[in-house]
Amino acid sequence: MEFSKENWKPDEYEEWLELDLDLIGSLISDDKIVKALNGGVPESFAPFSSFNSKEGFICFQTLNDYYDENFENGLEYIVFGSDGAGNPFCINKINNNQIVLLDFDDEKIVSTNKNINEFLDSIFAYRIFINVIQSKYGAEALFHNLYREEDIEMLKQEFSKINADLLANSEFWKQEIEELIMNKNANSTS
């Protein structure tokens, strides 16, 4: 299943951000990115992440503008969101518009997805995973690590449907799977 507002089915508490072409300006010239974001995105998404917003619209900034700094290649990274630690998700214009997470704590670029479509499909797969485990084990299933190994396998299979090599090529999603397994194993030993 592909990402779309209809498939996401935002509830009354979720803010949905629209795309305003005037806010993109010259930052994004790739029509594929514009088309992927044209239906909008949820302001927040699992795992503990969000899209940047400005007055109900998706907000894009160069890395330099986002941090008000002058980084080498800072104009080539277009920030559109962040993880729970505040590290920015970016479109890497240097590398075919791949999606990366800039981890400033560990001072590294974390591979995330090969493009924005794959990123949106991945966050949607993660949402489905959460919905499934919540319906099986209760609203706090993720936070109390009540899911099972077969639930994690289902998520891995969904990632494989998006891209057969997604977990091999995405350090971000591979870490998320490893964290789910680690948390599940820690919960089963306590």
Side-chain angles (χ1 to χ4, degrees), residues 33-111:
I33 296 172
V34 173
K35 183 178 178 186
L37 298 171
N38 199 38
V41 294
E43 183 173 36
S44 61
F45 57 93
F48 307 105
S49 300
S50 62
F51 284 93
N52 295 340
S53 66
K54 180 178 182 179
E55 299 174 3
F57 295 100
I58 310 165
C59 181
F60 300 91
Q61 295 176 285
T62 66
L63 185 64
N64 288 349
D65 289 340
Y66 186 74
Y67 282 108
D68 197 23
E69 295 279 335
N70 192 16
F71 295 102
E72 183 179 339
N73 296 325
L75 299 175
E76 302 303 322
Y77 290 92
I78 307 303
V79 179
F80 64 86
S82 61
D83 69 0
N87 295 310
F89 283 109
C90 303
I91 297 168
N92 180 349
K93 291 171 68 174
I94 298 171
N95 203 0
N96 297 321
N97 294 324
Q98 288 183 347
I99 307 304
V100 296
L101 180 75
L102 302 181
D103 185 336
F104 282 98
D105 293 332
D106 292 336
E107 297 181 7
K108 65 180 183 176
I109 299 171
V110 178
S111 60

Side-chain angles (χ1 to χ4, degrees), residues 9-180:
K9 298 177 185 160
D11 65 34
E12 61 189 278
Y13 304 107
E14 289 180 284
E15 185 170 349
W16 196 260
L17 304 175
E18 300 298 330
L19 180 66
D20 182 344
L21 295 177
D22 292 331
L23 291 177
I24 294 174
S26 62
L27 293 177
I28 299 173
S29 57
D30 188 327
D31 289 339
K32 292 177 188 174
I33 296 172
V34 173
K35 183 178 178 186
L37 298 171
N38 199 38
V41 294
E43 183 173 36
S44 61
F45 57 93
F48 307 105
S49 300
S50 62
F51 284 93
N52 295 340
S53 66
K54 180 178 182 179
E55 299 174 3
F57 295 100
I58 310 165
C59 181
F60 300 91
Q61 295 176 285
T62 66
L63 185 64
N64 288 349
D65 289 340
Y66 186 74
Y67 282 108
D68 197 23
E69 295 279 335
N70 192 16
F71 295 102
E72 183 179 339
N73 296 325
L75 299 175
E76 302 303 322
Y77 290 92
I78 307 303
V79 179
F80 64 86
S82 61
D83 69 0
N87 295 310
F89 283 109
C90 303
I91 297 168
N92 180 349
K93 291 171 68 174
I94 298 171
N95 203 0
N96 297 321
N97 294 324
Q98 288 183 347
I99 307 304
V100 296
L101 180 75
L102 302 181
D103 185 336
F104 282 98
D105 293 332
D106 292 336
E107 297 181 7
K108 65 180 183 176
I109 299 171
V110 178
S111 60
T112 304
N113 291 97
K114 70 178 183 175
N115 58 46
I116 195 71
N117 291 76
E118 188 179 282
F119 179 77
L120 294 172
D121 289 345
S122 297
I123 66 171
F124 183 54
Y126 203 88
R127 178 182 175 87
I128 292 170
F129 165 74
I130 291 172
N131 289 344
V132 166
I133 65 170
Q134 286 177 333
S135 68
K136 286 176 155 180
Y137 314 113
E140 298 296 316
L142 182 65
F143 300 111
H144 295 299
N145 308 312
L146 300 177
Y147 47 87
R148 300 179 190 270
E149 187 67 37
E150 59 261 25
D151 300 313
I152 298 170
E153 286 302 315
M154 179 210 65
L155 177 59
K156 289 166 71 173
Q157 288 173 7
E158 290 301 315
F159 283 154
S160 292
K161 289 176 188 175
I162 296 166
N163 175 345
D165 297 323
L166 189 124
L167 291 175
N169 295 331
S170 172
E171 188 178 351
F172 177 80
W173 292 112
K174 182 179 176 185
Q175 287 173 351
E176 288 303 319
I177 293 290
E178 289 170 355
E179 190 171 316
L180 288 169

